[in-house]
Amino acid sequence: MNPVLFPRTKEMLLSMVKAYPEARFMAGGTDLLVALRQKQKALPPLIGLERMEGMGDILKEGEEISIGAACTLKEVASHPLTRQHLPLLCQGAASVGGPALRNMATLGGNLCTASPAGDTLPALFLLDARLDLLSETGLHTLSMEAFITGPGRTALLPGELLHRIRIPIPQNAPIQHFEKVGNRNAMAIAVASLAALIRMEQGLVAEARLAWGSVGPKVIRSSEAEAALVGKPLREESLKEAAFYAGKAVQPISDIRASADYRKTVSASLLQRLILYRDSDCRGEQS
């Protein structure tokens, strides 16, 4: 039987990687163990990250929130720092699965699985998250765009792991909203999702940042849809125009959960639903 190892320091981790180059990293294991069992093969050596120093905390460092990759989604959704500064990420994390899964699944795992339907990914794209990767050569940092290379694919090299996620604190308290549509009311994989950062000044949209999940090989942005909102009140007319551009931008496929046409319709509808939240307080700590 192959070993399951639990390093506590970077030095221990790197020595284990050197001794077992075929090892797989694991934190919650909610995706990895299922995938390995489906292959019906012997488990490879596993390196558990739950006890690693610097991978299970959430800190405020200057004007950034720094999140260890082994933090559970429950911790991300409920921590005072993320609730105060990153409600968009809290909403995405809180929508993943059910309570039992969120108690085990980690933010790093959600990122490294790189599923187009990953609920935290649209928020992390909009929030300009930077990802610190650790290997025997040291630390280096990638943007979300550079890290996610395609469905289920990342820029991680052999022996490299995601160490921390660093997110600039949004300035001017933008409206932060995440919503997804699935085939059931709870514990559903997204058919389509939308993350939105909207900054208002004197009743007009000063900045709009929009990202859709589960409607393309990666998270989808639309500069045309964003531009259609800027300089106008957040009203039905401007949202309808932005929704038109959203329908052109998304690249959905048909699968067992939904058709491509349905996903396009939902993507546009999620954007138009922002009118329901224009007067709500999405700026800061969530209730």
Side-chain angles (χ1 to χ4, degrees), residues 225 238-248 264 267-269 271-272:
S238 57
L239 286 168
K240 186 174 181 180
E241 180 184 358
F244 168 78
Y245 291 116
K248 293 174 60 178
K264 279 197 171 193
S267 298
S269 296
L271 181 54
Q272 290 179 283

Side-chain angles (χ1 to χ4, degrees), residues 44-77:
L46 297 175
I47 298 178
L49 303 174
E50 297 96 322
R51 303 173 191 172
M52 268 283 293
E53 62 182 20
M55 291 194 67
D57 53 7
I58 299 176
L59 306 170
K60 185 175 184 291
E61 298 178 340
E63 294 303 311
E64 289 185 333
I65 302 298
S66 177
I67 304 173
C71 283
T72 67
L73 294 173
K74 178 185 177 182
E75 291 167 336
V76 172

Side-chain angles (χ1 to χ4, degrees), residues 36-262:
L36 292 174
R37 286 171 183 152
Q38 287 176 343
K39 293 180 180 179
Q40 296 184 339
K41 295 181 180 179
L43 291 177
L46 297 175
I47 298 178
L49 303 174
E50 297 96 322
R51 303 173 191 172
M52 268 283 293
E53 62 182 20
M55 291 194 67
D57 53 7
I58 299 176
L59 306 170
K60 185 175 184 291
E61 298 178 340
E63 294 303 311
E64 289 185 333
I65 302 298
S66 177
I67 304 173
C71 283
T72 67
L73 294 173
K74 178 185 177 182
E75 291 167 336
V76 172
S78 61
H79 195 279
L81 285 174
T82 50
R83 285 167 64 87
Q84 179 181 356
H85 298 293
L86 306 172
L88 181 63
L89 180 60
C90 291
Q91 293 167 47
S95 74
V96 177
L101 187 143
R102 290 193 295 274
N103 281 335
M104 294 184 64
T106 63
L107 182 59
N110 204 235
L111 273 161
C112 292
T113 299
S115 167
D119 289 336
T120 67
L121 270 57
L124 291 169
F125 266 85
L126 289 193
L127 291 166
D128 292 328
R130 306 286 291 178
L131 311 179
D132 288 342
L133 310 184
L134 175 67
S135 70
E136 63 179 356
T137 61
L139 281 171
H140 72 103
T141 302
L142 291 180
S143 66
M144 285 291 296
E145 184 65 35
F147 182 77
I148 305 289
T149 59
R153 300 195 305 273
T154 73
L156 282 170
L157 300 175
E160 192 171 52
L161 86 155
L162 175 58
H163 187 245
R164 297 193 70 84
I165 300 96
R166 294 187 290 107
I167 304 172
I169 295 173
Q171 301 300 311
N172 301 320
I175 297 170
Q176 303 187 31
H177 178 71
F178 174 82
E179 188 172 3
K180 77 175 185 181
V181 171
N183 289 330
R184 53 190 181 189
N185 291 332
M187 294 187 289
I189 298 173
V191 165
S193 63
L194 171 68
L197 282 170
I198 307 290
R199 181 166 59 86
M200 305 292 292
E201 291 183 359
Q202 298 181 340
L204 303 178
V205 175
E207 181 184 19
R209 308 191 75 187
L210 308 168
W212 288 264
S214 206
V215 288
K218 298 171 61 175
V219 169
I220 298 292
R221 298 283 304 274
S222 171
S223 58
E224 292 178 311
E226 293 169 351
L229 297 178
V230 174
K232 305 170 187 174
L234 197 61
R235 291 179 178 167
E236 183 177 349
E237 296 79 7
S238 57
L239 286 168
K240 186 174 181 180
E241 180 184 358
F244 168 78
Y245 291 116
K248 293 174 60 178
V250 298
Q251 306 164 30
I253 61 170
S254 295
D255 61 16
I256 193 171
R257 289 181 287 122
S259 68
D261 286 343
Y262 178 69

